[in-house]
Amino acid sequence: MASRRQRRKERIKAKLSDMSEPANRSPNGDEPKPVGTRSGRRSVLGHVKMSGQRSNIPEMFKVKVLVLGPCESGKTVLSNFLADATEMSGDYMPTQGIRILEFENNGLNVGGRTVNAEVELWDCSGDHKFEQCWPAIQLETNGVLLVFNPDQPNHDKELETWYSHFVSQQGLKDSQCLAFAHHKPSTSDKARGHLSSLLSKVTVVHSNIDEDGDSVRQEFSNFLTNILSTMSDNRDKEELSIIS
C-alpha cells in the first residue's frame, strides 16, 4: 500500500495536469474491518483546478481521534453518543483493547470553506495492561479526546499520563486535544473538573448527555474544525514543499 506522502505526490501531479480523479478506497478494502466498527458513507475528495478555485464538491478529510482516559470514566458512552451507535447495556462493560467507530460529520467551516469529515473514533481501554499496544494505537492520530469523571478521585491526575504520551510526545497541538468532564445523569456539580497545570491550555467541556446532548455534539464539531484547520495547514505546507 502506498504511503500517505506517496499518495499526496500522486494527487499533486494530477492537480498540475488538471486531470485529478476522486480517491476512493477499494470496495473490498485492504484492511480487515475491526469488530464493533460502525461504517459511514464514503465520499470522494473534492477536485482542485489549475486556476486555484475549488469545485462545489466539499473536500473530505479522514480524521482519526483517540478517546482516552481512566477506566469507568464514560469513554464508551460518549463515543457511542457521538457516533450515533447502538445503545449498549447500562451495566459497566470494560473495553478490551479498542473499539473503532466510523461516522461522518459534514458541513464544517474551515478557513471559510465547507469540508466534510470521515471520522474514526478509537475508543481505547483505560486499563494500563494494554500499554504495549499504545505505539500502534497512536500512529497517524489527528486528535485526542480525554474523558474523566470529575466525581472520581484522581481521575484528573490520571489524565496527565494520557496527555503526556499521546499529545505532548506525539507533537500534537493543544487545539487538537479536548477534555470532557463526563458527568453521570445523577450528578450535576460542575464546580469540579479542573485539570492540572500540565493541561492548563486544554479546553475542558462539562458533558451531561441526558441533559444537554446538543451542546456535547456542538463542542465536538468545534473540536473537529480545529483539527481540520491544522490538518489543512500541514497538508498545504507539505504540498508546497513537494512542488518546490
Side-chain angles (χ1 to χ4, degrees):
M1 181 181 294
S3 67
R4 178 178 293 183
R5 186 177 181 87
Q6 289 173 328
R7 292 196 298 269
R8 286 178 180 169
K9 283 184 178 181
E10 292 173 359
R11 288 205 302 271
I12 294 168
K13 291 178 181 179
K15 292 174 188 177
L16 292 176
S17 62
D18 199 23
M19 295 175 62
S20 61
E21 296 179 358
N24 249 339
R25 182 181 293 179
S26 169
N28 295 325
D30 294 321
E31 299 177 358
K33 186 177 179 180
V35 176
T37 298
R38 179 176 181 270
S39 296
R41 176 169 49 84
R42 303 287 180 181
S43 299
V44 299
L45 291 172
H47 296 276
V48 181
K49 297 183 178 180
M50 287 290 289
S51 62
Q53 297 179 347
R54 300 181 184 273
S55 73
N56 293 327
I57 303 175
E59 280 189 278
M60 175 67 80
F61 283 81
K62 185 166 184 177
V63 185
K64 176 182 175 180
V65 177
L66 303 183
V67 184
L68 307 169
C71 295
E72 297 190 64
S73 58
K75 299 184 296 296
T76 295
V77 172
L78 184 63
S79 297
N80 286 345
F81 175 76
L82 293 174
D84 285 326
T86 304
E87 291 291 335
M88 297 181 64
S89 168
D91 297 331
Y92 174 65
M93 298 177 61
T95 299
Q96 298 301 310
I98 58 171
R99 298 167 59 247
I100 303 176
L101 300 97
E102 293 183 344
F103 60 98
E104 289 185 9
N105 194 315
N106 297 329
L108 300 171
N109 188 307
V110 178
R113 56 193 175 92
T114 301
V115 302
N116 298 333
E118 182 181 315
V119 183
E120 279 190 2
L121 206 60
W122 290 48
D123 174 19
C124 304
S125 172
D127 195 326
H128 283 263
K129 71 180 182 181
F130 296 106
E131 190 169 339
Q132 60 183 354
C133 301
W134 288 5
I137 290 173
Q138 69 196 18
L139 291 175
E140 298 187 343
T141 295
N142 305 117
V144 170
L145 285 182
L146 297 175
V147 184
F148 69 104
N149 184 342
D151 299 304
Q152 294 295 323
N154 298 322
H155 262 205
D156 53 345
K157 289 294 184 182
E158 287 188 49
L159 290 189
E160 294 182 3
T161 298
W162 299 100
Y163 175 84
S164 177
H165 189 90
F166 288 93
V167 180
S168 296
Q169 294 181 25
Q170 304 310 312
L172 296 181
K173 298 180 179 179
D174 285 326
S175 60
Q176 293 172 272
C177 180
L178 178 66
F180 274 106
H182 186 67
H183 296 264
K184 293 184 177 181
S186 59
T187 62
S188 60
D189 186 359
K190 296 186 178 181
R192 296 188 292 271
H194 297 290
L195 301 180
S196 67
S197 58
L198 180 65
L199 289 81
S200 61
K201 295 183 180 180
V202 175
T203 300
V204 180
V205 175
H206 291 270
S207 61
N208 191 319
I209 293 173
D210 290 341
E211 294 183 5
D212 198 6
D214 289 342
S215 293
V216 174
R217 291 189 189 279
Q218 185 59 54
E219 291 289 352
F220 181 71
S221 292
N222 294 341
F223 173 58
L224 281 181
T225 299
N226 291 336
I227 294 176
L228 293 173
S229 179
T230 299
M231 291 176 64
S232 180
D233 290 344
N234 291 341
R235 188 186 64 177
D236 290 345
K237 291 177 182 177
E238 184 174 349
E239 291 182 349
L240 286 175
S241 67
I242 294 173
I243 293 175
S244 59

